Amino acid sequence: MNTKKRIYIGLLAASLMIILLIAILVYYLMSNKDIILSQVLLISLTVMAAILFTILLFGIISIVIIIIRARTIPSLETLGQRVNELLFPLALFTGRLFGISREKILQSYIAVNNHLVGLKELRLQGDQILILAPHCLQDAECPHKITMDIRNCKGCGKCDIASLKKLAEDNHAVLRVATGGTLARKVVIDTRPRGVIAIACERDLSLGIHDMGSIPVLGVLNCRPNGPCFNTGVNLEEVENALLSITKEDGKDA
């Protein structure tokens, strides 16, 4: 497990410890009040807290086991995914307490997600895969509206859209450009893919991955030589590697 993945896994564990400390504090305050609450209520809350802690602990352990064994384990995958979704906001908060930048935390989260998706060994047909790109990849001075129809791209070469379009066509994948999270979700609903390769910044990628739920998403960070959301780029080799990693071997000729 490399350093980038360790950051997020460590924050999940730290978040779990915060929950445990809060539970212990609540138990202490309740059991030492001048007016003792009902013993039944106290015991019930303690049991519920213990069950929650155990589930969260096993969820984190499931993620670690899958990463270490380098293969997905169906019986552990669902639990790990649910716990990851639940603890994600708390992991961000915990990271800030430790002085870790939000960008670094999100990069680690995306790396963990990509690793887990890669271990699923998906073998999808090209047309089952959606490549979702942000509109900021398009040259800012381009007059052609590609969010409505990617075929409006004239292939002038001033941005990476034309190369993405060719890559998608060569692999029979679906390419769409979205202007934001709302449109991106609509695109996913409309196209109903079985796998998504999303290109975006750390914030949008992590939120998108978190929102997709059961749909596997591979995140590819965009390049921002001109700052965020303006004439960005993407490493096409990373997109192609992500595409090949979830494409059925004989899918290219399908």
Side-chain angles (χ1 to χ4, degrees):
M1 191 186 305
N2 63 32
T3 302
K4 183 175 287 188
K5 298 187 188 75
R6 288 196 192 103
I7 292 174
Y8 186 68
I9 297 299
L11 289 176
L12 287 180
S15 300
L16 186 59
M17 294 309 299
I18 290 177
I19 293 175
L20 177 61
L21 291 174
I22 293 174
I24 292 174
L25 177 61
V26 171
Y27 177 85
Y28 175 80
L29 294 175
M30 291 181 63
S31 60
N32 287 275
K33 290 175 66 71
D34 293 335
I35 301 176
I36 303 298
L37 294 177
S38 167
Q39 288 296 316
V40 174
L41 176 60
L42 183 58
I43 293 173
S44 298
L45 290 175
T46 303
V47 171
M48 290 173 60
I51 292 174
L52 176 62
F53 178 83
T54 301
I55 293 174
L56 295 176
L57 176 61
F58 273 108
I60 295 174
I61 292 175
S62 298
I63 295 173
V64 174
I65 290 175
I66 291 173
I67 291 177
I68 291 177
R69 296 191 63 180
R71 67 183 183 88
T72 189
I73 304 173
S75 59
L76 299 179
E77 182 181 336
T78 302
L79 176 60
Q81 180 179 337
R82 294 293 177 263
V83 169
N84 187 28
E85 292 173 358
L86 182 63
L87 289 180
F88 174 64
L90 185 55
L92 288 176
F93 173 76
T94 304
R96 288 198 292 269
L97 291 180
F98 284 99
I100 304 174
S101 70
R102 181 183 179 88
E103 184 177 87
K104 185 173 290 187
I105 297 171
L106 295 180
Q107 288 174 358
S108 181
Y109 170 75
I110 294 165
V112 169
N113 169 79
N114 287 353
H115 187 80
L116 294 176
V117 171
L119 294 177
K120 292 176 181 287
E121 296 185 351
L122 299 172
R123 292 294 179 263
L124 305 178
Q125 299 286 352
D127 58 6
Q128 296 174 323
I129 301 171
L130 168 66
I131 301 177
L132 192 56
H135 75 288
C136 58
L137 281 182
Q138 184 181 23
D139 182 73
E141 297 180 356
C142 182
H144 305 292
K145 187 73 170 178
I146 61 173
T147 53
M148 300 300 295
D149 191 343
I150 194 65
R151 291 174 296 182
N152 290 334
C153 173
K154 304 306 178 183
C156 67
K158 290 183 179 180
C159 67
D160 289 328
I161 294 296
S163 297
L164 277 176
K165 180 182 175 184
K166 184 178 186 306
L167 180 63
E169 290 173 348
D170 289 346
N171 291 273
H172 310 293
V174 179
L175 173 64
R176 293 289 185 273
V177 176
T179 55
T182 300
L183 181 56
R185 284 187 287 273
K186 183 180 185 303
V187 169
V188 172
I189 292 173
D190 291 343
T191 58
R192 302 176 66 182
R194 291 183 57 190
V196 176
I197 297 172
I199 304 166
C201 62
E202 289 86 353
R203 175 185 174 276
D204 290 346
L205 268 184
S206 57
L207 291 176
I209 291 170
H210 194 254
D211 287 346
M212 285 302 103
S214 60
I215 301 177
V217 180
L218 285 172
V220 178
L221 289 170
N222 60 6
C223 308
R224 287 153 282 179
N226 303 295
C229 303
F230 182 77
N231 285 348
T232 61
V234 65
N235 187 323
L236 294 171
E237 185 177 355
E238 289 185 16
V239 179
E240 183 174 15
N241 289 339
L243 184 60
L244 294 177
S245 72
I246 60 174
T247 302
K248 190 172 182 180
E249 292 180 356
D250 60 351
K252 290 185 178 182
D253 300 324

